[in-house]
Amino acid sequence: MKIRMKLFIFIPLLVLLLNVIAFFIFQSGKKVQESYDVMMQRIFLYKQVSSEMQENLRFLSGYMIHQDEKNYRLLVKHRQRLEDLHQQLSHRKLQGNDALTLENYKHMIGVFIELEASIVQMMVNKQLSDYAEPYNEIEKVSTFIREDSQALVDLELSAYQPVYKQMLINIGKMNELGRILFVLTTLLSIVFAIWLSRTIVIPIYRLVFAAKQISAGKLDAHIPQMDGNDEIGLLGKTFQQMMENLRMLISKNMEILEKEKLVRELELKALQSQINPHFLFNTLNVISKLAYIEGAEQTSELTISTSNLLRYNLRKLDEPVTLRDEVAHAKEYFAIQKARFRDRIMFQLDIAEECLGQVIPCLTLQPLLENAFVHGIEGMEAGAVIRLSVRQKRDRIHVVISDNGTGMEEEVRQAILQSSSYSFSKKGHSTGLGMANVLRRLRLFYGTEDIVDICSAPNKGTSIILMLPKREGGEKDVQAANR
């Protein structure tokens, strides 16, 4: 669940819960208030009836004494109010003895209104001798009305007393409920805060701590696992992937640096032999031409091969070449060795023409041929054979350099295959580029460890098998790289 969705769900739920609680308390208070208002309205109605009755008597007495228009208007006005109150009482219902008291109360108010109207009519008709008895009667009725008003008020208070007690009980329950809900909402808020902390704050803190360790150079720092599907989980997985990519990039950079270091070492060794190379080449050409003029054709050819060999060895070692160049260079090298060993050795070639466009690091075959000469067949008096084979098998180019010489022990073979530090080179017998160096350059160049195999046994010869991943483009790739 996304963080945004979590907030949109849980925070509104908490607010809704609080609103429901507040609404419940409000409704309970409203019911209590409504009950209290009903009681007070009834009591106030009784008090109003008693007050209006007294006003009617006062203005009736004033009208009887002064018989003026002002008292008459006020009398009529208050009688109308009393009639309205009597009308309101007509909708009031009680039960049992209380109903009888209320009906008697209503009846007396009606009698009071009728007697008042009768007295006023007598005053208007100038029947001054006839209103004394009705006036005495209306005073008695007013006394009864006052007494009944007070009785009804007491009745309302008595009837409301259990309601009031129940109201106090309800208020106590609401207060208790309010305290419980306060504790509950507080606990929910704490739980929600802890949940947010565990799902958002703590994972972010762990990521920040890991980032600080990485920024301090600890690339092996532990990256916390984020199992969630929210933004924090995505951030953790992305951060972990970024670290894996960074470690991979650093590893590749280290390989590149190692490759460059090897190339620089090879260039340094090559530079050690570059003492005025142009003068050396010109001198060799002069010697070759002089030998040819004097009829020493083999000496001339050997000198040319030596010149070509030196020229190839002094080229830039970080530029790739093709197998065609390497095979041609191997022929030149073997021509020189043939002049040394003469008929003691034989050089066999088995080359597939379609494989000669394969890209390969410079100076790969010559150190391996040196190995075969120096450690394999140098001590043989006759019958030494070195064979160079280039064939395609599936998606790889197989280059095999084999000899029928002394071979090697299994420990030596394993040391060469498992580590790149073993070298056969003997001082003074080679260019100084050991077999281990060649194998390390090949692995770095093609980006794979599974690139070489060695078949050898004591007194049974040695075969070095290079399994080169096929590079499409061949010589075009070399030209582009050289550019």
Side-chain angles (χ1 to χ4, degrees):
M1 185 184 296
K2 303 294 184 181
I3 295 177
R4 185 178 181 183
M5 185 61 65
K6 292 178 182 177
L7 296 177
F8 279 172
I9 291 177
F10 292 103
I11 291 181
L13 281 178
L14 185 60
V15 173
L16 181 62
L17 177 61
L18 294 175
N19 289 337
V20 169
I21 295 170
F23 179 76
F24 175 75
I25 295 175
F26 171 76
Q27 286 295 108
S28 300
K30 184 179 178 182
K31 290 180 180 179
V32 172
Q33 184 66 33
E34 288 176 351
S35 176
Y36 181 77
D37 288 343
V38 170
M39 182 201 70
M40 293 304 297
Q41 286 174 6
R42 292 171 181 171
I43 293 175
F44 186 65
L45 180 59
Y46 300 142
K47 291 294 184 180
Q48 277 187 312
V49 170
S50 180
S51 176
E52 285 298 328
M53 184 191 64
Q54 293 295 329
E55 290 295 316
N56 274 269
L57 281 176
R58 186 167 67 88
F59 289 114
L60 178 61
S61 176
Y63 179 67
M64 290 173 63
I65 295 172
H66 301 287
Q67 296 185 5
D68 56 348
E69 187 67 24
K70 179 181 178 181
N71 283 305
Y72 178 77
R73 287 196 306 271
L74 291 173
L75 178 60
V76 172
K77 178 181 177 181
H78 283 278
R79 186 176 63 187
Q80 183 63 43
R81 290 181 180 177
L82 186 59
E83 290 176 352
D84 293 338
L85 293 173
H86 184 254
Q87 183 67 28
Q88 292 179 24
L89 281 172
S90 63
H91 301 293
R92 178 84 171 93
K93 302 292 184 183
L94 292 176
Q95 296 178 353
N97 295 330
D98 298 336
L100 182 60
T101 302
L102 181 60
E103 290 300 322
N104 185 44
Y105 183 70
K106 294 177 184 178
H107 178 70
M108 285 191 295
I109 294 173
V111 171
F112 181 89
I113 294 172
E114 291 176 359
L115 288 173
E116 185 183 40
S118 175
I119 293 171
V120 172
Q121 187 63 37
M122 290 178 183
M123 294 296 295
V124 172
N125 294 333
K126 305 297 182 179
Q127 298 175 355
L128 301 178
S129 59
D130 296 333
Y131 68 82
E133 186 178 350
Y135 185 78
N136 291 331
E137 188 69 24
I138 200 172
E139 283 186 338
K140 293 178 182 179
V141 172
S142 66
T143 301
F144 295 146
I145 290 174
R146 284 195 301 271
E147 292 174 355
D148 285 349
S149 293
Q150 186 61 42
L152 288 171
V153 168
D154 295 339
L155 183 63
E156 288 291 342
L157 292 174
S158 299
Y160 187 73
Q161 187 175 6
V163 176
Y164 177 73
K165 291 180 179 179
Q166 185 64 36
M167 181 179 68
L168 293 177
I169 294 173
N170 292 337
I171 291 174
K173 290 182 178 179
M174 284 191 294
N175 292 334
E176 184 66 23
L177 179 61
R179 286 191 291 269
I180 293 174
L181 292 176
F182 173 77
V183 174
L184 180 61
T185 53
T186 302
L187 291 176
L188 285 176
S189 301
I190 294 173
V191 170
F192 180 66
I194 294 174
W195 175 76
L196 279 181
S197 176
R198 290 178 61 85
T199 57
I200 299 177
V201 178
I202 294 178
I204 290 179
Y205 174 77
R206 290 176 179 172
L207 287 177
V208 170
F209 180 74
K212 288 182 179 179
Q213 287 186 312
I214 293 169
S215 64
K218 298 179 181 179
L219 297 180
D220 57 344
H222 173 69
I223 307 300
Q225 295 290 336
M226 302 296 174
D227 299 327
N229 295 322
D230 56 5
E231 290 84 350
I232 303 299
L234 180 61
L235 179 62
K237 293 174 183 177
T238 304
F239 191 75
Q240 191 170 13
Q241 184 63 40
M242 181 188 69
M243 281 306 304
E244 291 177 0
N245 294 338
L246 181 60
R247 294 189 184 105
M248 186 180 299
L249 180 61
I250 291 175
S251 176
K252 289 183 179 179
N253 287 338
M254 292 298 294
E255 290 182 358
I256 293 173
L257 290 175
E258 185 179 1
K259 180 180 178 181
E260 291 179 352
K261 180 182 177 181
L262 290 174
V263 171
R264 295 294 178 267
E265 290 176 355
L266 294 176
E267 288 181 345
L268 180 61
K269 291 178 181 179
L271 286 172
Q272 291 175 352
S273 62
Q274 291 185 23
I275 303 174
N276 201 349
H278 293 290
F279 173 78
L280 180 60
F281 294 149
N282 291 334
T283 302
L284 289 174
N285 287 334
V286 170
I287 294 174
S288 173
K289 291 178 181 178
L290 182 61
Y292 184 77
I293 292 173
E294 294 177 349
E297 296 182 1
Q298 290 185 352
T299 303
S300 175
E301 291 176 358
L302 180 61
T303 304
I304 292 174
S305 297
T306 304
S307 176
N308 292 336
L309 187 70
L310 290 174
R311 190 184 304 275
Y312 191 84
N313 285 346
L314 294 177
R315 69 187 299 166
K316 290 185 177 181
L317 298 177
D318 58 344
E319 292 181 355
V321 296
T322 61
L323 269 177
R324 189 183 308 278
D325 296 330
E326 282 291 293
V327 170
H329 179 64
K331 291 178 180 179
E332 298 285 0
Y333 174 77
F334 191 80
I336 295 173
Q337 295 290 17
K338 182 70 174 176
R340 176 186 173 190
F341 290 95
R342 297 186 180 277
D343 294 334
R344 289 168 53 192
I345 63 170
M346 182 171 57
F347 190 40
Q348 297 178 352
L349 295 175
D350 181 16
I351 308 298
E353 185 68 23
E354 66 273 11
C355 300
L356 294 181
Q358 170 73 13
V359 180
I360 193 172
C362 181
L363 284 179
T364 296
L365 299 184
Q366 179 187 325
L368 301 181
L369 289 172
E370 287 180 357
N371 228 30
F373 274 107
V374 175
H375 299 282
I377 65 171
E378 189 175 28
M380 296 178 64
E381 295 296 332
V385 177
I386 295 179
R387 189 170 187 273
L388 173 61
S389 172
V390 179
R391 291 289 176 184
Q392 179 174 344
K393 294 184 179 180
R394 295 188 179 89
D395 58 342
R396 294 209 176 193
I397 304 298
H398 282 229
V399 178
V400 182
I401 297 175
S402 58
D403 64 74
N404 59 347
T406 58
M408 65 179 74
E409 299 289 340
E410 178 64 19
E411 292 80 4
V412 177
R413 190 184 78 87
Q414 290 294 334
I416 296 174
L417 291 177
Q418 294 177 6
S419 73
S420 301
S421 59
Y422 198 92
S423 177
F424 287 113
S425 299
K426 291 183 179 180
K427 188 173 180 180
H429 288 272
S430 70
T431 61
L433 303 181
M435 180 177 176
N437 198 321
V438 172
L439 299 185
R440 286 171 63 193
R441 289 174 62 213
L442 284 172
R443 286 165 177 160
L444 289 173
F445 184 82
Y446 291 105
T448 178
E449 293 292 323
D450 183 22
I451 203 168
V452 63
D453 192 14
I454 299 176
C455 296
S456 182
N459 301 318
K460 292 186 179 181
T462 301
S463 295
I464 300 175
I465 305 167
L466 304 181
M467 298 165 287
L468 309 179
K470 190 174 181 181
R471 293 281 182 91
E472 297 294 333
E475 295 176 90
K476 293 182 180 179
D477 288 342
V478 174
Q479 295 172 3
N482 291 339
R483 285 200 299 273

